Amino acid sequence: MSAAVLTLAEAIEHYVADGASIALEGFTHLIPFAAGHEIIRQRRRELHLIRMTPDLIYDQMIGMGCARKLTFSWGGNPGVGSLHRLRDAVEHQWPRPLELDEHSHAGMAAAFCAGAARLPFGVLRGYLGTDLPAHNPNIRTVQCPFTGESLAAVPALNPDVTILHAQRVDRAGNVAIHGILGAAREAALAATTLLVTAEEIVDELPPAMNAIVLPHWVVAAVVVCRGGAYPSYAQGCYARDNAFYRHWDAIARERAGFLAWMDEHVLGTTDHRAFLAGLQQAAA
């Protein structure tokens, strides 16, 4: 295997530094919760968080003081409501001020695609006629040299580190991702360093129909982490825990309750296996 096989603690310690720009991508499923929790345990600070749809894991990282900036398109607790720790950071600067770089989904996709192609910016027909460019100086316009048409432009996204969760990695280090892809491929190829947590390592990957395969030479390190996307789902492996998402709304509403929960279930556990065991014990 070309990619290093590490523990999650080793991977985060070695590759995620204070001040880094990091993208924990995953669209409805395969959200790398375990990696985000390890970043919190290792108390990383001054991070620039990047993600097309930040939800609970970024709420937790922001609330624990890991982030100085968020580049995103839509942020919320899907199917439930607001991210209370994100709102507290924006509205009250708690636990610290948070700089926002807000885009549409199309703008984020264009920025990731440009980053993956090593181009300086992405171009799209979005934003024109909206008020978002008035609030985000990173949204600008360019004139097409062929038609003269005015188009929106966004700077390329090139995270220092992208972290993905996948169903399988083979022993050569190739990564197979099945199901809804979101911006996983583009975020992977745009990054300086790609880390992948996976449900399992297999001798041979299944056929890649309706899936993507990231070749081993773009992967810096692989971590075997069963259930690493929980409470989101991993297609073909386990379902989304909708009750957790609903419960999170109450946990995150008040600072004291949030900090107590994080202290018990994240800071108070050694790894993702212990995190899952603690949740099961609390529910029993």
Side-chain angles (χ1 to χ4, degrees):
M1 178 178 285
S2 297
V5 180
L6 303 175
T7 67
L8 186 52
E10 290 170 339
I12 299 305
E13 180 180 10
H14 186 73
Y15 290 106
V16 179
D18 286 349
S21 59
I22 62 172
L24 279 68
E25 275 296 341
F27 198 80
T28 78
H29 77 143
L30 297 175
I31 299 169
F33 271 87
H37 287 162
E38 186 57 35
I39 289 169
I40 292 169
R41 286 190 194 97
Q42 296 193 19
R43 301 183 186 276
R44 291 295 184 265
R45 293 294 183 264
E46 298 293 321
L47 299 177
H48 174 190
L49 301 181
I50 302 168
R51 188 164 163 213
M52 185 175 280
T53 54
D55 66 352
L56 273 56
I57 189 58
Y58 274 22
D59 204 35
Q60 294 172 5
M61 295 172 74
I62 290 166
M64 294 302 289
C66 297
R68 63 172 177 83
K69 180 178 179 180
L70 175 65
T71 295
F72 73 111
S73 58
W74 186 88
N77 184 341
V80 180
S82 292
L83 294 176
H84 301 296
R85 296 302 93 221
L86 168 58
R87 290 194 62 149
D88 205 5
V90 173
E91 296 173 0
H92 304 111
Q93 293 77 55
W94 190 92
R96 55 158 299 157
L98 182 68
E99 179 184 349
L100 295 183
D101 178 23
E102 185 177 0
H103 293 275
S104 66
H105 284 352
M108 288 287 290
F112 272 135
C113 286
R118 296 304 188 262
L119 294 171
F121 62 89
V123 179
L124 66 156
R125 284 197 171 90
Y127 298 123
L128 303 181
T130 74
D131 63 355
L132 192 55
H135 300 278
N136 187 344
N138 284 326
I139 301 170
R140 305 187 188 182
T141 59
V142 295
Q143 187 177 48
C144 174
F146 303 103
T147 67
E149 181 181 7
S150 182
L151 300 168
V154 291
L157 283 173
N158 291 107
D160 294 323
V161 182
T162 288
I163 305 176
L164 304 179
H165 189 70
Q167 288 96 340
R168 297 171 189 87
V169 179
D170 71 13
R171 299 195 184 280
N174 303 300
V175 179
I177 298 177
H178 295 258
I180 300 173
L181 301 177
R185 171 173 45 202
E186 292 75 14
L189 298 177
T192 301
T193 299
L194 174 61
L195 307 179
V196 177
T197 59
E199 294 293 319
E200 61 179 343
I201 294 179
V202 298
D203 292 331
E204 185 176 359
L205 295 179
M209 182 177 292
N210 299 322
I212 65 169
V213 174
L214 296 168
H216 62 82
W217 60 81
V218 304
V219 183
V222 170
V223 175
V224 179
C225 185
R226 291 188 181 275
Y230 178 87
S232 76
Y233 72 100
Q235 181 172 313
C237 299
Y238 45 89
R240 184 181 192 266
D241 187 346
N242 292 316
F244 186 102
Y245 282 78
R246 292 192 297 269
H247 188 41
W248 182 253
D249 186 75
I251 293 169
R253 276 186 180 271
E254 303 297 333
R255 296 172 186 175
F258 163 76
L259 290 173
W261 192 93
M262 294 297 294
D263 186 62
E264 177 181 358
H265 293 287
V266 178
L267 295 180
T269 56
T270 55
D271 56 22
H272 192 61
R273 180 179 295 180
F275 167 77
L276 295 176
L279 292 181
Q280 290 177 347
Q281 183 176 2

